[in-house]
Amino acid sequence: MAGATGHQQWSSRWTFMLAAVGSAVGLGNIWKFPYEAGEGGGGAFVLVYLAFVFAIGLPCLIAELSLGRRGQLSPIGSMSKIAEEEGRSKLWSLLGWSGVLGGFIVLSFYSVVGGWVLYYIVEAFTGFEGYDAAKSGATFTAFITDPTKPIIAHAAFLFITLGIVARGVQGGLEKAVTFLMPALFVLLLGLMIYSGITADFGAAVNFLFSPDFSKLTGDKVLQALGLSFFSLSLALGSIMTYGSYLTKDINITRSAFTIATADSAVALMAGLAIFPIVFAYDLNPGQSVGLVFTTLPIAFGQMPSIVAILFFFLLTVAAVTSAISLLEPAVAYVEERTGIDRKKVAIIIGLAAFVLGTLSAWGQSGNMLGDVKLFGLDIMSVKDYLTNNIMMPLGGMFIAIFVGWFASRKNMMEELAMEDSTFKIWYFLVRFVCPVAIGAVFVSLII
Ligand code: PFF
């Protein structure tokens, strides 16, 4: 259904929550969080990560959602409209541009990794029997450096994503998340219980929850802040766009708190599903991307094949519900500016993401563009660096600065309708704590 501005709207708070949690829960939670937590001293990293999610991520999430709802347009439209209403420079619309472009760039490589996950469902059907470290590593490398297979998988993943986005907010996004999010939760719970019973749950709990502050270097603290931002989908247009589909009766603060809690809970559950297996089979927990694609298959080879199939299906679901939120801001913007039919816009932007993503896929070492390097990085790493280390922290910092210093206090109070004492805490966090903390990460990430 369309709102007063002709802009689409969520049909209920529940579907909005599913979509927002779907955006937040993704590859970042299921492989990145467990691996980074392991390297950063387990429980110590988890504690710091949770503190960042709630003290910095959550206030920014509230800020971004409220800007979206107030603007009722795409991030670019919303930011220029609000800046004008507040009597501020039109340049603030750059925040919207950075979100839409950043989201598009992330989509182009997120969907390459999404393609890998999709392909591994197929691999899981043939089974990982007899996989040892060498065989598992060789299979993964052979796949990602193949000139065609990762491209077909990437195209398939994008096709699913744009197929959902093309159908609009209620016909596409809502329908997909209403089915996919409960499925994701049940699968994750099932896998956690399965690995808890059959594998080494105690070792995993120990690994994730016993704080060892000696391993928590300054670098890891900053990494935890970066991860909390990525995991909550902040500053890439997704949250602002989802906020723009909100009706005025929905309580943003309460919703944001639930989103942050659900996102953290899924990260912890993912750790508790993966690490019991890693420890029971004596595998190396510190393998980054390899943890999912090369380490786990060694253990999967010794389990009923349905476990691996379900695991990669779960990862695909998590990745798809995040990818739709990365495509939506650009589609919303082009649709709003040109009035061209959403289906056509989704196909055009999907194709553009396919081309840009193909460059990243071919940029994997040994592949077609394997020797092309920018600043010593392959194409996928360049995009990751640009978005994760520059656009996200800068975007987050300026969102906090705009809301805390350039928008009127009264307007923010009206939009958020918080209790006085809660508003004061939130306002303090967005005015002072968020800009300083994010600024510190930004500086440390680029030097
Ligand atoms: N939050 C997603 C994850 O944890 O995998 C990734 C993501 C989606 C980041 C959407 C940013 C975004 F706008």
Side-chain angles (χ1 to χ4, degrees):
M1 204 181 60
T5 53
H7 198 61
Q8 306 187 71
Q9 287 185 334
W10 302 112
S11 55
S12 68
R13 175 175 186 261
W14 173 239
T15 51
F16 158 66
M17 291 303 297
L18 289 177
V21 172
S23 168
V25 169
L27 298 171
N29 303 57
I30 302 185
W31 64 258
K32 210 169 177 182
F33 168 79
Y35 149 74
E36 288 193 359
E39 277 210 337
F45 182 94
V46 174
L47 275 180
V48 172
Y49 171 78
L50 291 177
F52 284 149
V53 164
F54 288 95
I56 295 164
L58 178 60
C60 287
L61 184 61
I62 295 173
E64 200 174 333
L65 282 172
S66 69
L67 286 175
R69 183 170 69 183
R70 184 170 159 194
Q72 293 280 303
L73 294 167
S74 70
I76 299 169
S78 288
M79 280 314 299
S80 48
K81 180 174 160 199
I82 299 170
E84 200 176 323
E85 281 170 10
E86 296 284 351
R88 302 296 179 182
S89 161
K90 274 264 179 194
L91 281 177
W92 282 105
S93 66
L94 285 177
L95 251 182
W97 276 105
S98 155
V100 170
L101 286 176
F104 173 74
I105 296 172
V106 171
L107 173 69
S108 74
F109 66 84
Y110 203 84
S111 55
V112 172
V113 182
W116 296 353
V117 181
L118 207 52
Y119 177 80
Y120 264 69
I121 301 183
V122 181
E123 282 280 289
F125 270 100
T126 44
F128 295 109
E129 237 166 276
Y131 269 49
D132 55 15
K135 186 166 180 206
S136 193
T139 308
F140 181 61
T141 309
F143 167 62
I144 63 167
T145 56
D146 188 278
T148 47
K149 282 184 190 161
I151 309 301
I152 295 170
H154 165 53
F157 183 87
L158 266 177
F159 186 72
I160 299 171
T161 308
L162 77 87
I164 297 171
V165 171
R167 288 178 168 75
V169 173
Q170 296 194 2
L173 271 61
E174 285 195 354
K175 284 216 173 94
V177 295
T178 308
F179 160 70
L180 293 175
M181 291 312 289
L184 183 140
F185 187 75
V186 170
L187 281 174
L188 187 57
L189 197 67
L191 276 172
M192 198 178 93
I193 294 171
Y194 176 81
S195 56
I197 293 172
T198 60
D200 197 343
F201 198 67
V205 171
N206 210 16
F207 183 66
L208 280 171
F209 297 109
S210 58
D212 176 359
F213 284 95
S214 67
K215 283 198 196 142
L216 194 70
T217 55
D219 253 21
K220 298 287 170 216
V221 172
L222 297 170
Q223 204 175 38
L225 184 54
L227 183 64
S228 68
F229 250 65
F230 185 78
S231 190
L232 288 175
S233 301
L234 292 171
L236 285 184
S238 304
I239 290 296
M240 208 183 282
T241 308
Y242 279 13
S244 75
Y245 302 138
L246 276 175
T247 48
K248 293 284 177 196
D249 55 325
I250 287 171
N251 183 322
I252 287 186
T253 314
R254 193 150 47 95
S255 305
F257 186 79
T258 313
I259 296 165
T261 307
D263 186 53
S264 313
V266 169
L268 294 174
M269 284 169 76
L272 290 174
I274 291 173
F275 285 117
I277 299 176
V278 170
F279 291 120
Y281 290 87
D282 226 2
L283 302 170
N284 177 4
Q287 292 274 300
S288 185
V289 189
L291 181 63
V292 165
F293 297 107
T294 61
T295 309
L296 281 184
I298 303 170
F300 286 149
Q302 299 166 54
M303 297 175 175
S305 55
I306 187 73
V307 180
I309 294 169
L310 291 180
F311 177 78
F312 286 109
F313 183 68
L314 163 83
L315 258 185
T316 306
V317 170
V320 165
T321 54
S322 295
I324 55 179
S325 77
L326 288 163
L327 177 58
E328 181 63 28
V331 170
Y333 174 67
V334 177
E335 197 189 14
E336 173 180 293
R337 276 307 292 261
T338 62
I340 299 174
D341 176 54
R342 168 175 273 262
K343 287 197 181 59
K344 286 196 190 116
V345 177
I347 292 171
I348 294 165
I349 298 179
L351 270 177
F354 172 71
V355 173
L356 196 64
T358 297
L359 296 180
S360 336
W362 278 345
Q364 294 303 302
S365 55
N367 207 329
M368 317 276 278
L369 301 172
D371 293 333
V372 176
K373 298 262 189 278
L374 281 171
F375 309 109
L377 298 172
D378 66 49
I379 298 171
M380 194 181 297
S381 310
V382 169
K383 292 190 208 167
D384 188 30
Y385 185 90
L386 180 71
T387 48
N388 208 40
N389 294 11
I390 298 179
M391 295 171 101
M392 285 185 98
L394 269 189
M397 188 170 80
F398 280 109
I399 285 174
I401 291 175
F402 181 80
V403 162
W405 298 92
F406 289 84
S408 91
R409 190 174 195 271
K410 187 175 140 283
N411 287 341
M412 289 316 303
M413 273 185 101
E414 262 171 36
E415 187 62 48
L416 290 170
M418 282 179 189
E419 268 177 33
D420 226 32
S421 53
T422 321
F423 184 84
K424 278 193 184 128
I425 299 172
W426 172 77
Y427 207 50
F428 174 77
L429 291 171
V430 281
R431 294 191 97 192
F432 301 102
V433 179
C434 296
V436 171
I438 304 166
V441 183
F442 175 63
V443 172
S444 69
L445 283 175
I446 56 163
I447 55 176

